[in-house]
Amino acid sequence: MNLTISGHHVEVTPAIREYVQTKLERIRRHFDQVIDIAVILTVDKLREKEKRHKADINLHVSGKDIHVESLAHDLYAAIDALIDKLDRQVIKHKDKIQDHNHEAIKHMPDPAST
């Protein structure tokens, strides 16, 4: 699995990198077939007193690319919201994959004939 963490207008410190990696362990626990992860952390200055922290992630799994983004006033809060959204998307994708492996109704034995 390839993990890329980059920052726009923000320096990615080892503490931020470690925080993102520990949060991504939750995703790997639910779905271990992740091929590539790209995380982009951005700080936009809207006004002097107000800053917007944005976190984007592109997750490439076999058969699908998942893109999630979140905004917050704190970078760590943006990362937490991002991981929560991504976790829901990954679980939804995993459920869709597992649902398609069930037996078709027309191939099941008829309960009235037994």
Side-chain angles (χ1 to χ4, degrees):
M1 180 192 78
N2 297 329
L3 174 62
T4 306
I5 302 172
S6 62
H8 290 244
H9 305 294
V10 67
E11 180 183 349
V12 180
T13 62
I16 293 174
R17 183 175 300 278
E18 182 67 29
Y19 189 75
V20 170
Q21 288 174 346
T22 56
K23 290 294 184 174
L24 285 173
E25 287 297 322
R26 191 167 109 189
I27 304 302
R28 286 190 216 137
R29 193 173 10 149
H30 290 295
F31 194 72
D32 61 349
Q33 299 170 350
V34 177
I35 297 169
D36 190 30
I37 300 174
V39 180
I40 302 170
L41 306 173
T42 309
V43 177
D44 295 328
K45 279 190 176 180
L46 297 178
R47 295 187 197 125
E48 291 237 355
K49 295 182 180 178
E50 182 180 335
K51 290 186 179 179
R52 285 296 269 259
H53 297 272
K54 181 178 176 184
D56 292 329
I57 191 163
N58 289 318
L59 184 81
H60 179 69
V61 295
S62 58
K64 186 168 182 162
D65 289 332
I66 299 172
H67 174 77
V68 180
E69 65 180 42
S70 67
L71 292 168
H73 293 288
D74 181 24
L75 186 60
Y76 289 99
I79 293 170
D80 288 340
L82 177 82
I83 296 298
D84 289 340
K85 289 180 183 180
L86 182 64
D87 193 34
R88 286 192 297 269
Q89 292 281 335
V90 166
I91 290 172
K92 183 178 174 182
H93 175 68
K94 184 178 176 181
D95 289 343
K96 281 184 179 181
I97 289 173
Q98 290 175 347
D99 272 353
H100 291 292
N101 294 333
H102 66 286
E103 183 73 25
I105 293 175
K106 64 181 178 181
H107 296 292
M108 289 183 166
D110 186 22
S113 65
T114 54

